[in-house]
Amino acid sequence: MKFSKFFLVALGSISMFVSCTNDDSDSTVDSGAYENGVFILNEGSSGQGSVSYLSSDLTNFTQNVHEIVNPGDLFGQYVQSMFFNGDYAYIIAGGSNKINVVNRKTFKLVAKIETGLAAPRYGVVKDGKAYVVNANTYADFGAPADAIGNTDDYVAVINLATNVVETTIPLNATGNRILLENGKLYISEPYNNSNILVVNPTTNTLETPINVGSDADTMEVNNGFLYVLRSPYGGPSEIVKVKLADSSMTNIVFPAELNDAKNLDIYENKVYYTVDTSVYAMDVTASSASTTAILSYPSTSAYGKMYGFAVNNGHIFIADGGDFTANSKAYVYSLTGTLHKEVTVGVGPNGFYFNN
């Protein structure tokens, strides 16, 4: 598969069912049961994905939130990511070509978006519309950039008032992660490609891409700069710091012991990144990468590295991928590396989404 080496099946055809609604009057659901906490997405394997919930104070934990609140509903395969808009959370199930729309406080199902999507990945919201990157068809890992399946990715533009895909924006490239900054969409073009794609959502057109080098994917914006972590196979990892006002760049090349760095996140003027099962941090203004780990954890992952990562609310959140056949673990550490919480989540936990 083009992006995730854990996603080993070809994706099916697009369902033509547009949406469904549920009665919001279920008295068994606490009206604010899932406020003020973090949703942990569990990708799953051949079966359905799931969502776990951990409260902000780390005292309340719920496994299989969607199943508890919406019994009998099929959530979807390969749960990929989540984004928020107003009272709603949108959970992308890439293996089922659908987006589940739920009330972000109760997790009660509101609608399903199932038309116009082809292997959806990540999304953002601007002015009442969602912009969701779709991987479309897949070429073999490592295939040339112009191979079939590597250039047919697109952005689906969804009207969130109707939950209908209004139009699509062809990327003519590989697309994966997406973020919104100053009215522009920035889309990572991972693996053997070299650009951060730039889309103008006002005109739904591509602008001049930013060439940051190959194998760039995880990215964050801070104080007018786009931080992009790239980890080319067999070469040094680095952070490319792009000044968005003029696209000028500064490169922070990592030493060899930090090869294959992943999972960039920025919190309180520090850049956090991971290598295998260790977490590191450096100041946003630093010119060199720290080689001193904040923490290392005992992974049970079949791949020997964490699969989900975030820093928020004064904590470091780690999801261990496990073996993708059984439930795995998520951990919450202090910013100095003290373990505060360990929970058993679903199969293949891959991300943290904060509902504050």
Side-chain angles (χ1 to χ4, degrees):
M1 161 143 183
K2 187 160 56 176
F3 301 123
S4 173
K5 54 194 168 190
F6 311 117
F7 190 178
L8 301 178
V9 299
L11 298 180
S13 59
I14 302 171
S15 168
M16 297 306 293
F17 178 70
V18 177
S19 66
C20 68
T21 59
N22 279 40
D23 181 0
D24 242 352
S25 62
D26 189 343
S27 60
T28 65
V29 178
D30 187 328
S31 62
Y34 303 111
E35 287 186 277
N36 300 317
V38 55
F39 294 118
I40 306 167
L41 266 59
N42 305 299
E43 185 173 299
S45 54
S46 58
Q48 300 290 303
S50 65
V51 176
S52 307
Y53 169 81
L54 179 64
S55 62
S56 293
D57 61 7
L58 310 182
T59 60
N60 297 317
F61 174 75
T62 305
Q63 176 62 296
N64 294 326
V65 171
H66 189 82
E67 181 178 341
I68 291 171
V69 178
N70 307 287
D73 179 70
L74 296 179
F75 196 44
Q77 287 184 305
Y78 304 110
V79 176
Q80 182 62 44
S81 64
M82 173 186 286
F83 59 90
F84 298 105
N85 183 53
D87 292 331
Y88 303 107
Y90 299 77
I91 308 99
I92 296 173
S96 298
N97 295 324
K98 71 178 174 181
I99 300 173
N100 297 282
V101 186
V102 301
N103 182 297
R104 64 190 292 176
K105 297 179 182 180
T106 67
F107 226 83
K108 189 70 175 175
L109 182 66
V110 175
K112 289 178 182 286
I113 304 169
E114 296 182 283
T115 298
L117 304 173
R121 300 290 294 173
Y122 296 89
V124 295
V125 174
K126 182 181 186 297
D127 298 334
K129 295 184 180 181
Y131 296 82
V132 177
V133 176
N134 286 251
N136 210 351
T137 55
Y138 286 89
D140 292 335
F141 179 80
D146 59 352
I148 294 175
N150 275 10
T151 59
D152 62 356
D153 298 15
Y154 64 91
V155 174
V157 182
I158 304 170
N159 185 327
L160 296 181
T162 60
N163 290 323
V164 172
V165 175
E166 289 186 334
T167 189
T168 60
I169 306 169
L171 295 177
N172 301 316
T174 302
N176 192 30
R177 299 181 189 271
I178 183 172
L179 58 81
L180 171 69
E181 180 69 13
N182 289 335
K184 298 290 180 69
L185 305 175
Y186 295 90
I187 300 170
S188 64
E189 189 185 12
Y191 297 125
N192 53 357
N193 303 293
S194 301
N195 292 321
I196 299 298
L197 305 174
V198 183
V199 174
N200 184 331
T202 301
T203 59
N204 289 342
T205 56
L206 288 166
E207 297 189 349
T208 303
I210 304 170
N211 190 320
V212 296
S214 66
D215 297 272
D217 194 24
T218 313
M219 55 185 180
E220 293 285 337
V221 170
N222 180 266
N223 209 21
F225 288 88
L226 176 67
Y227 292 75
V228 182
L229 179 61
R230 58 183 295 265
S231 296
Y233 178 76
S237 299
E238 68 174 0
I239 290 175
V240 183
K241 186 177 175 180
V242 183
K243 186 177 181 180
L244 292 177
D246 59 13
S247 294
S248 59
M249 299 180 209
T250 303
N251 295 60
I252 303 171
V253 180
F254 288 10
E257 60 263 42
L258 297 180
N259 278 0
D260 200 29
K262 304 292 184 186
N263 300 313
L264 173 77
D265 204 357
I266 297 177
Y267 180 72
E268 292 187 342
N269 291 319
K270 286 189 178 293
V271 180
Y272 291 82
Y273 49 95
T274 72
V275 178
D276 297 330
T277 60
S278 297
V279 178
Y280 301 81
M282 55 184 270
D283 290 337
V284 293
T285 58
S287 57
S288 61
S290 171
T291 58
T292 302
I294 297 172
L295 66 93
S296 298
Y297 79 99
S299 173
T300 61
S301 169
Y303 302 93
K305 61 186 67 177
M306 64 191 74
Y307 198 49
F309 176 77
V311 186
N312 206 326
N313 295 337
H315 292 97
I316 297 170
F317 295 79
I318 293 171
D320 192 64
D323 61 4
F324 285 81
T325 63
N327 289 345
S328 191
K329 297 282 189 178
Y331 305 90
V332 184
Y333 287 86
S334 73
L335 297 179
T336 56
T338 300
L339 180 63
H340 283 175
K341 190 74 172 182
E342 174 184 330
V343 291
T344 298
V345 292
V347 175
N350 65 7
F352 301 91
Y353 298 86
F354 298 89
N355 190 26
N356 301 120

